[in-house]
Amino acid sequence: MILTTTNSIDGFTIAEYKGIVSGTAVNIQKMKMTFNMQKYYAGIGESVSEVKDQAFEQLKVNAEKLNANAIVGIQVDVELTTSNYVAVSVTGTAVSVIKR
């Protein structure tokens, strides 16, 4: 599966647009509060990375359901809620591409 934030892929031609796909993930455990800011920010970074990976996996699964082999125009939205939950939403256009 080719993933890109651009609207085209060098060396490939978009043969068919399959539709908009998305992947969303939220961390299940609340992040631990600490007085050590370095640990706090490290925890946020780790949580964002894990949740982002989950959202991208869901994005790819949803594109595969449409028989797409690439996703173009990907946009990523990361939110840290007031309750210290991390939410990541990833959206793009599922396409079928062929090599030129």
Side-chain angles (χ1 to χ4, degrees), residues 29-43:
Q29 286 186 318
K30 224 181 204 185
M31 292 186 322
K32 296 176 183 167
M33 294 301 290
T34 178
F35 291 108
N36 183 327
M37 293 308 287
Q38 187 174 1
K39 285 183 180 178
Y40 175 72
Y41 289 124

Side-chain angles (χ1 to χ4, degrees), residues 3-45:
L3 306 174
T4 183
T5 58
T6 62
N7 292 323
S8 62
I9 304 168
D10 286 341
F12 290 86
T13 301
I14 295 175
E16 184 179 1
Y17 290 88
K18 302 287 190 169
I20 296 172
V21 289
S22 63
T24 305
V26 178
N27 66 338
I28 295 177
Q29 286 186 318
K30 224 181 204 185
M31 292 186 322
K32 296 176 183 167
M33 294 301 290
T34 178
F35 291 108
N36 183 327
M37 293 308 287
Q38 187 174 1
K39 285 183 180 178
Y40 175 72
Y41 289 124
I44 290 174

